[in-house]
Amino acid sequence: MAPAPRFDNALCHGYERLAAWADLLDRINVFPVADADTGTNLKISLAPLRQPGPSPRRLRDNLLRAATGNSGNIACAFFGELIGARGLGDLPQRIPSARDKARQAVIDPQPGTMLTIFDALAESVGSNGWSTGHPDCTETIAQLEAAVAATTSMLPDLKQAGVVDAGALGMFIFLEACFAFLFPSDRPLRTVTEIFPSGLSIRTGWAARNHIGEYCVNTMIQSDAGFETVQQALDGYGSSIVVSGMENQIKVHAHTSDRDGLRKRLSRLGAVTQWAEDTMDAPTVAPVRAGDVHIMTDAAGSLTIEDARQLGMTLLDSYLIVGDRICPETLLDPAALYAAMASGTRVTTAQASVFERHQSYLHATRRFDRVIYLCVGSVYTGNYQTATRWQAASDDPDRLTVVDTGSASGRLGIAAMATARFARTASTTDSVQAFAEKALADSRELVFLDTLKYLAAGGRISRTKGFFGNLLHLKPIISPEPEGAAKVGVVRNRREQLDFALQRLSRDLSKATNAMILMQYTDNRPWIESNVVPTIQSTHPKAEILVRPISLTSGAHMGPGTWAVAYLPG
């Protein structure tokens, strides 16, 4: 039997709040490795909970496959046991079982992590009226809050850095929202910064340990060996090892300097069906400074999560649904998206819920005194209307300035990037907003479509009339404008696309000495980098040329073969 819709929706509610605060979790992530990815991994791993509907077994399988990173694998082991709960009456039995499942998955469980939160939750549902069907949710949340605050003193790394554990905080953020949905109240959810006035910023001077030469490995094996056998076999092959799964599908996470040895060891236990590895070097994260004007924009602007970290920006995600897999836009591999589209897999997009967007605005305005939201054009989505309504109802509306950029894709991205750079040294919100508005007015973008079949299949154009008329066998060139996508040309092949781009760049950048040019690709990155970029560099040698994947929500509608160039004069 499928989970009761009410509990399904509570899990979704918890995920949406977690997603909105994930950047904060990344910033305070110091254990077990300070690689600024706890929030990111939880967003990826728990994304299946955002899409209620599959059978409990299918949803557990989706969680298992999505699980990534130390925190993500442990959290998925926990929530996998809650899937299928019919309602509150099941939770006093389900939660202790879920706690045990999460703890058993970890070879070397540590206090002061999300396991501590699961312990506190399991203890709470053993009392506080849960068994009688009248739980004191307020007391349960208070116990979880105290457990998070206590993590700072439980692990040396956390104590030295002066922060709470990122994974523990992530579970608190999720569970508080989940319970708020199950037990409605007139009181709004408290902000995370209000609940924890300390422990949310790394102490000045703290230095992370060096993990050069080590890898974070996430892998799946098909094996009948059993979890305990797999855990025993991995002794000595790394640290932060988490083993979980369903029947003969076993997921393994490990930090190791011997990835080849780990793979050989796993291959002796069964068939390796999935393998992903990342270096454990800490990413560059822009410092948060008092007085900065913070820039927030939509991920529809073709910027990456790495861009956001380096520039100190906030990116607001939409979601991609590829088959039955759901993933935030900035965290999906572009190659996987376009391979799925080429194979005929159904791909759709979804906006973040209004609740998630409101939580994102709250997060930004509680961490920064002044926030400018460069919003994707109101003609394309309802984000501008949602933000302005929230701002009007806010108790401190002056913290947020909402700008309807009238743009999308690379034109939005290049203006947002330039504005974020300017904001690092600007002193007033007005000066940053004026810069942003000029950058938006001066920027241009050309989007080169390879085929119209994806737009037609998605209902974005008519096959018989309308915007593109009878151009289904040609290659239109469009530009995102405040009034919508405007057709600016049509060509027959890739060579003519490049010629058109060169002519427009020559016309619009003839006097620019320090222009920014943003090249965007779908499944054609090698051609962009080996053909297009060198050609443009030869004609605009002083321009800064950046190469990024086109916004995946745009790419999902326009399809493989599409590419684009956005540009901003100096």
Side-chain angles (χ1 to χ4, degrees):
M1 180 181 294
R6 185 177 174 84
F7 189 65
D8 254 5
N9 291 336
L11 292 175
C12 176
H13 205 63
Y15 173 80
E16 289 172 341
R17 188 177 185 225
L18 170 73
W21 290 85
D23 285 355
L24 173 61
L25 305 182
D26 284 343
R27 284 187 174 274
I28 65 169
N29 171 207
V30 301
F31 182 84
V33 177
D35 50 0
D37 67 356
T38 292
T40 297
N41 287 338
L42 288 172
K43 276 182 74 171
I44 296 171
S45 302
L46 298 178
L49 298 178
R50 189 188 179 276
Q51 192 178 20
S55 67
R57 179 182 176 83
R58 188 64 171 270
L59 188 51
R60 289 190 195 100
D61 183 65
N62 287 346
L63 271 182
L64 182 67
R65 294 182 181 280
T68 188
N70 186 66
S71 59
N73 277 276
I74 298 172
C76 285
F78 177 82
F79 285 107
E81 289 298 295
L82 298 186
I83 293 170
R86 295 181 178 87
L88 292 176
D90 282 356
L91 295 185
Q93 290 75 40
R94 292 263 187 168
I95 286 174
S97 176
R99 182 271 313 271
D100 294 344
K101 194 78 169 182
R103 182 170 288 277
Q104 291 162 7
V106 184
I107 286 183
D108 184 23
Q110 296 290 316
T113 64
M114 67 170 62
L115 294 175
T116 298
I117 305 307
F118 298 152
D119 286 340
L121 180 60
E123 181 180 344
S124 181
V125 299
S127 57
N128 297 328
W130 283 85
S131 59
T132 64
H134 301 285
D136 184 348
C137 187
T138 302
E139 180 60 26
T140 295
I141 293 300
Q143 291 172 348
L144 297 181
E145 181 181 330
V148 173
T151 60
T152 303
S153 62
M154 291 183 175
L155 287 167
D157 285 350
L158 301 179
K159 190 171 185 177
Q160 292 166 13
V163 293
V164 299
D165 179 67
L169 178 60
M171 291 302 93
F172 174 85
I173 291 170
F174 186 111
L175 291 167
E176 187 184 34
C178 183
F179 291 144
F181 187 91
L182 291 171
F183 305 99
S185 167
D186 293 336
R187 294 174 299 173
L189 279 167
R190 301 168 297 168
T191 64
V192 177
T193 50
E194 173 191 350
I195 300 168
F196 301 101
S198 62
L200 299 185
S201 60
I202 292 176
R203 183 174 291 135
T204 302
W206 179 82
R209 285 178 290 162
N210 192 324
H211 292 274
I212 293 175
E214 295 185 53
Y215 294 84
C216 176
V217 173
N218 285 279
T219 182
M220 183 95 74
I221 63 171
Q222 186 171 342
S223 172
D224 295 320
F227 302 131
E228 290 186 7
T229 300
V230 173
Q231 286 182 328
Q232 292 169 2
L234 295 180
D235 185 32
Y237 280 87
S239 61
S240 299
I241 298 175
V242 184
V243 180
S244 61
M246 295 170 54
E247 299 173 352
N248 66 346
Q249 298 296 319
I250 300 177
K251 190 71 172 281
V252 176
H253 165 271
H255 294 163
T256 182
S257 57
D258 184 13
R259 51 187 170 157
D260 293 334
L262 176 64
R263 184 159 193 158
K264 289 177 182 177
R265 187 66 169 169
L266 289 170
S267 296
R268 296 192 189 105
L269 299 170
V272 176
T273 58
Q274 178 181 317
W275 182 275
E277 61 182 53
D278 291 298
T279 61
M280 288 169 56
D281 301 335
T284 300
V285 179
V288 176
R289 295 189 290 255
D292 282 346
V293 178
H294 184 71
I295 302 302
M296 181 165 67
T297 191
D298 295 305
S302 297
L303 297 181
T304 67
I305 194 169
E306 290 79 15
D307 291 325
R309 284 173 172 165
Q310 291 175 9
L311 291 167
M313 300 170 62
T314 293
L315 289 183
L316 302 187
D317 268 311
S318 292
Y319 291 86
L320 275 295
I321 300 98
V322 183
D324 64 354
R325 180 191 177 195
I326 184 169
C327 190
E329 175 177 5
T330 56
L331 301 176
L332 179 64
D333 179 6
L337 170 65
Y338 298 116
M341 295 182 74
S343 70
T345 300
R346 176 175 168 78
V347 173
T348 58
T349 61
Q351 291 262 306
S353 70
V354 171
F355 171 71
E356 182 177 334
R357 281 178 273 178
H358 284 182
Q359 284 290 307
S360 296
Y361 311 151
L362 192 63
H363 175 197
T365 55
R366 290 304 178 269
R367 288 185 62 213
F368 303 96
D369 292 334
R370 295 168 295 176
V371 179
I372 294 180
Y373 177 20
L374 301 179
C375 183
V376 68
S378 57
V379 72
Y380 301 105
T381 75
N383 287 355
Y384 176 74
Q385 291 83 355
T386 299
T388 52
R389 283 194 292 267
W390 180 87
Q391 180 189 31
S394 169
D395 57 1
D396 195 358
D398 292 338
R399 283 179 177 261
L400 179 65
T401 300
V402 186
V403 177
D404 182 355
T405 66
S407 62
S409 299
R411 187 175 174 213
L412 171 61
I414 203 167
M417 181 178 289
T419 303
R421 291 176 178 178
F422 178 80
R424 302 302 288 174
T425 57
S427 58
T428 68
T429 305
D430 288 345
S431 65
V432 178
Q433 182 175 351
F435 181 96
E437 290 173 348
K438 186 174 190 313
L440 288 162
D442 291 347
S443 60
R444 296 288 182 271
E445 181 171 28
L446 301 170
V447 180
F448 298 92
L449 300 172
D450 186 60
T451 175
L452 292 177
K453 74 175 185 178
Y454 296 102
L455 285 171
R460 301 271 164 166
I461 60 171
S462 167
R463 288 186 176 275
T464 57
K465 61 182 180 179
F467 183 75
F468 290 107
N470 61 354
L471 300 180
L472 288 174
H473 299 293
L474 296 175
K475 300 182 185 299
I477 305 164
I478 62 175
S479 178
E481 301 292 342
E483 300 78 20
K487 186 179 72 177
V488 295
V490 60
V491 294
R492 289 185 293 269
N493 53 49
R494 187 178 271 184
R495 178 68 250 179
E496 291 184 4
Q497 288 178 333
L498 180 53
D499 288 342
F500 191 98
L502 292 172
Q503 291 168 8
R504 284 299 179 96
L505 288 170
S506 177
R507 184 193 74 181
D508 295 341
L509 300 181
S510 60
K511 298 180 180 180
T513 58
N514 57 340
M516 290 177 65
I517 299 175
L518 178 60
M519 302 302 311
Q520 301 153 79
Y521 59 86
T522 52
D523 61 341
N524 44 18
R525 182 175 184 174
W527 178 73
I528 293 289
E529 292 182 331
S530 62
N531 291 73
V532 180
V533 171
T535 302
I536 293 176
Q537 279 180 329
S538 67
T539 55
H540 300 276
K542 295 183 179 180
E544 176 187 8
I545 301 179
L546 307 169
V547 179
R548 300 289 187 272
I550 197 168
S551 154
L552 295 195
T553 48
S554 297
H557 295 304
M558 295 185 288
T562 298
W563 64 282
V565 54
Y567 49 96
L568 176 64

